[in-house]
Amino acid sequence: MPDDDLETRAVDAALDRHRRDRTRLVEILREIQDDLRWLSPDTLTAVAAGLGVSRADVEATATFYAFFATRPRGRTRILFSDNVTDRMAGNRALYRRMLAQFGLSGDETSADGRVSVGLTACTGMGDQGPAILVDGRVVTRMTADRVDAVADLVRRDVALADWPEEFFRVDDQVRRADVLLGGPWVPGESLSAAIARGRDGMLAEMRASNLRGRGGAGFTTAVKWMAARDAAGGPKVIVCNADEGEPGTFKDRVLLASHAGKVFEGMAVAAWCVGASEGFLYLRGEYLHLKAPLEAVLADMRARGLLGRSVLGTEGFDFDVEIRMGAGAYVCGEETALIESLEGKPGRPRIRPPFPVVRGYLGRPTVVNNVETLCKAHEIAKRGGAWFAGTGTRQSTGTKLLSISGDCDRPGVYEYPFGVAIAEVLADCGAERAIAVQVGGASGVLVAADDFRRRIAFEDVPTAGAMMVFGPGRDLVDVAAAFADFFAEESCGFCTPCRVGTRLVKRLVDKVAAGHGTHGDLLEIRRLQSLMARTSHCGLGQTAANAVVDALERFRPAFERRLAAVDFEPAFDLDASLATARRLAGRDDADAHLVQEFEP
């Protein structure tokens, strides 16, 4: 239990820093947890009293996010990234090695309270994994030696600030640059051009560019901005969605690390067009290491007059940006869930309509754009819509950033004009022998080798930016099982089709992977995927089983090789499940065992 005085000081300090603003509850809880290590029942009660809200409201938020601990945990918390590419790189063996270092089982805290070790979803380090998070700070390129070194540092209670600097090194790994990654940021250049055109003139350039959102849905950016401009109510809000949680994606991390000025200036261009005065950058919790550098860029832009009151001396154009941190919830990548999180609530998607451009953050018209989309707005402001539309395809203009990981020689970030063939990308990254690629992350499309002529574009293979490569020898059943695990963990639980369906799909895939599946189970996976796609509340449930069904359709022999030779097989071993009861009863005779009714 935390010391009472320490707890009171931590709670009061966090509440005061955030002006006891209920909408900042996620930030408040993060800061209190940093001080106290966990959020005790008394802490949650004190926060509720300090904000003047119910204890149930505070507890609902505290228990929703994976990075909040409502049970005691170790003074150091280690989380191993568990994306499918981390597994391919051997993260599970390293995880077991770390557990053995402290004599722990999975997701346990050591008896002396020194350390907790567990798993987490993709940390956005697919090009330099396996990675771990240590008290929220990412450590890349884990090896057996590095596991031992980390364990030694933890045992000696060495402060994180004194750990070897190279442990925390995160490289951009840009392998192919085009206009976005290869071009410099000249502070104020695009914003000056936008202001010179006037609001309507800049929106006309956006329409001419036919820019579509880079977050995956591909909605036309100009239409979204015009809807927000025309919506009643205010003040209007611009949100940059930097919650890059799709497994296998890390290109926004690179943009934020090395091109943040373009991101923020793109937000200011959007604010100019829409008439917004307030902006938020919602940064995923795994990218904590980027927060301080991003704050420095914002401070520099304020000093240059690119943010704040009367931007670039333009009377009546006031706009600034605040960074808000997420706390480990994949579903917050959905724009309405993100807005709920910004308001300090559990990040559950809202029912639409009304759409955020009409009624978003605190009921105000709100534009939510992806990091890469805002960089494109910066380009369009600088060079014009016609120039932008001259690259790519008719329906997919401009260039696209791809985060490439898995079985390839040169993982990293690649920028291509839309329309590039998958085969060309694989040749560039050294993956000519690939048997499949997962495009668009866990919710995307699995493309087999005979379809590598297909092209990256909204009209062919759309993507938010992830491409995971699977080489010869990879078992697509294991890949499907990893994706099923991910969605079963990340479902927010709001709607039954997703909450239950993701669990059922995971059980069925695990059953097949364990050699107990039947043809009936494969049919049931398809039936569940269809049901979830039609009835789930948001895109998470609607797409959760896509990768599993894609793998089943394109690599059916891999699944069939693991099927049991019977029409029906129970999902678990009945006799094995009674082992504990037999041990407690001191029996192991024949009558204490069950015989499976259906045996191969």
Side-chain angles (χ1 to χ4, degrees):
M1 294 288 291
D3 175 80
D4 287 346
D5 288 341
L6 178 63
E7 181 185 58
T8 300
R9 287 198 301 273
V11 171
D12 285 345
L15 289 172
D16 290 344
R17 276 195 296 274
H18 293 280
R19 303 185 299 280
R20 297 179 185 263
D21 181 348
R22 190 252 182 271
T23 67
R24 297 168 178 266
L25 179 56
V26 174
E27 294 289 305
I28 290 168
L29 293 176
R30 281 187 68 98
E31 293 177 13
I32 294 172
Q33 182 170 280
D34 287 345
D35 287 338
L36 303 178
R37 316 304 303 168
W38 70 294
L39 303 169
S40 73
D42 288 345
T43 298
L44 299 183
T45 299
V47 171
L51 293 176
V53 301
S54 75
R55 159 67 188 277
D57 284 342
V58 175
E59 186 163 358
T61 297
T63 55
F64 181 82
Y65 297 92
F67 289 170
F68 289 151
T70 54
R71 292 181 300 165
R73 67 175 206 196
R75 294 191 295 278
T76 299
R77 188 185 196 191
I78 298 173
L79 295 172
F80 274 72
S81 182
D82 197 32
N83 183 22
V84 64
T85 54
D86 291 310
R87 295 186 187 185
M88 290 158 59
N91 76 319
R92 289 298 181 103
L94 299 173
Y95 174 55
R96 290 191 292 272
R97 188 181 183 97
M98 185 71 83
L99 291 172
Q101 285 276 3
F102 297 105
L104 298 175
S105 299
D107 207 20
E108 268 193 347
T109 298
S110 61
D112 60 3
R114 174 171 277 132
V115 62
S116 303
V117 181
L119 297 169
T120 188
C122 179
T123 53
M125 300 291 157
D127 58 335
Q128 44 207 300
I132 62 173
L133 294 175
V134 182
D135 290 343
R137 288 289 308 278
V138 66
V139 178
T140 57
R141 302 175 179 82
M142 292 300 294
T143 62
D145 288 345
R146 192 161 279 195
V147 166
D148 296 344
V150 167
D152 179 62
L153 291 164
V154 171
R155 274 197 209 91
R156 292 191 288 117
D157 292 323
V158 177
L160 209 56
D162 297 324
W163 286 26
E165 196 171 319
E166 66 266 24
F167 281 19
F168 305 107
R169 198 185 85 216
V170 177
D171 296 326
D172 281 357
Q173 301 213 114
V174 174
R175 306 288 188 177
R176 187 183 193 282
D178 205 301
V179 291
L180 173 51
L181 295 176
W185 173 52
V186 179
E189 185 179 23
S190 64
L191 190 51
S192 297
I195 292 171
R197 289 188 182 100
R199 290 186 166 90
D200 289 341
M202 186 60 226
L203 277 170
E205 295 296 332
M206 292 298 294
R207 282 196 304 272
S209 74
N210 194 29
L211 172 66
R212 298 174 67 173
R214 271 26 179 186
F219 195 78
T220 305
T221 304
V223 173
K224 181 182 283 190
W225 289 13
M226 287 190 289
R229 179 199 60 181
D230 296 340
K236 295 167 183 174
V237 181
I238 304 296
V239 176
C240 174
N241 183 351
D243 191 58
E244 188 178 40
E246 191 66 54
T249 312
F250 45 84
K251 47 93 180 173
D252 287 351
R253 184 200 80 213
V254 172
L255 290 174
L256 293 166
S258 298
H259 301 272
K262 297 177 184 176
V263 179
F264 292 134
E265 206 163 322
M267 291 180 72
V269 169
W272 168 249
C273 290
V274 169
S277 58
E278 189 172 10
F280 296 102
L281 184 140
Y282 186 91
L283 183 64
R284 71 180 305 215
E286 290 85 344
Y287 291 169
L288 178 63
H289 66 287
L290 292 175
K291 187 179 181 190
L294 288 170
E295 294 281 14
V297 174
L298 286 174
D300 177 65
M301 291 181 68
R302 291 184 191 110
R304 294 173 184 271
L306 302 177
L307 294 172
R309 296 187 64 82
S310 302
V311 174
L312 287 177
T314 309
E315 191 67 28
F317 180 21
D318 304 332
F319 180 70
D320 210 333
V321 177
E322 177 186 342
I323 298 174
R324 294 278 187 92
M325 296 295 299
Y330 167 77
V331 73
C332 286
E334 197 278 341
E335 62 178 2
T336 61
L338 185 156
I339 290 170
E340 287 283 296
S341 185
L342 277 177
E343 294 179 356
K345 304 171 189 171
R348 295 195 177 94
R350 295 175 177 175
I351 294 172
R352 298 181 294 180
F355 293 95
V357 288
V358 175
R359 190 175 176 81
Y361 177 69
L362 299 179
R364 293 147 51 183
T366 301
V367 168
V368 182
N369 282 139
N370 169 264
V371 172
E372 187 181 351
T373 308
L374 291 162
C375 285
K376 296 300 180 187
H378 163 272
E379 289 177 13
I380 294 163
K382 189 166 70 172
R383 306 189 193 207
W387 167 85
F388 186 85
T391 303
T393 72
R394 187 171 181 179
Q395 297 180 47
S396 307
T397 54
T399 64
K400 182 75 193 84
L401 270 57
L402 300 176
S403 321
I404 300 180
S405 60
D407 293 322
C408 61
D409 296 336
R410 294 176 290 280
V413 176
Y414 293 69
E415 182 181 11
Y416 292 97
F418 262 124
V420 64
I422 292 172
E424 181 181 341
V425 176
L426 293 176
D428 288 349
C429 71
E432 291 91 339
R433 298 179 64 228
I435 62 170
V437 292
Q438 179 72 20
V439 182
S443 62
V445 180
L446 182 70
V447 181
D450 56 357
D451 274 338
F452 284 172
R453 66 186 183 285
R454 295 180 64 183
R455 297 180 180 277
I456 300 296
F458 290 107
E459 61 269 34
D460 192 354
V461 182
T463 178
M467 183 180 286
M468 291 181 275
V469 182
F470 306 110
R474 296 295 179 190
D475 191 325
L476 272 296
V477 178
D478 293 336
V479 172
F483 289 142
D485 276 351
F486 173 77
F487 283 110
E489 288 297 319
E490 293 295 338
S491 172
C492 77
F494 175 78
C495 71
T496 303
C498 179
R499 183 180 65 250
V500 177
T502 52
R503 291 282 168 185
L504 291 176
V505 169
K506 171 181 160 47
R507 287 184 191 177
L508 289 167
V509 176
D510 286 348
K511 183 181 172 186
V512 172
H516 297 293
T518 66
H519 287 284
D521 293 321
L522 302 186
L523 290 173
E524 182 64 6
I525 290 171
R526 290 174 181 273
R527 190 187 71 82
L528 285 168
Q529 186 266 343
S530 174
L531 181 68
M532 291 163 63
R534 286 183 285 109
T535 60
S536 292
H537 174 62
C538 77
L540 190 154
Q542 291 161 9
T543 60
N546 286 359
V548 174
V549 170
D550 278 355
L552 179 56
E553 289 180 350
R554 293 169 173 79
F555 294 89
R556 190 175 183 86
F559 286 79
E560 291 185 333
R561 280 195 295 272
R562 297 215 192 181
L563 297 184
V566 293
D567 293 331
F568 172 78
E569 179 82 3
F572 61 97
D573 187 333
L574 293 170
D575 186 64
S577 69
L578 294 174
T580 302
R582 283 194 296 270
R583 188 171 64 253
L584 293 173
R587 292 184 56 182
D588 197 28
D589 56 278
D591 289 341
H593 286 268
L594 292 173
V595 177
Q596 299 280 104
E597 185 176 354
F598 299 97
E599 290 188 335

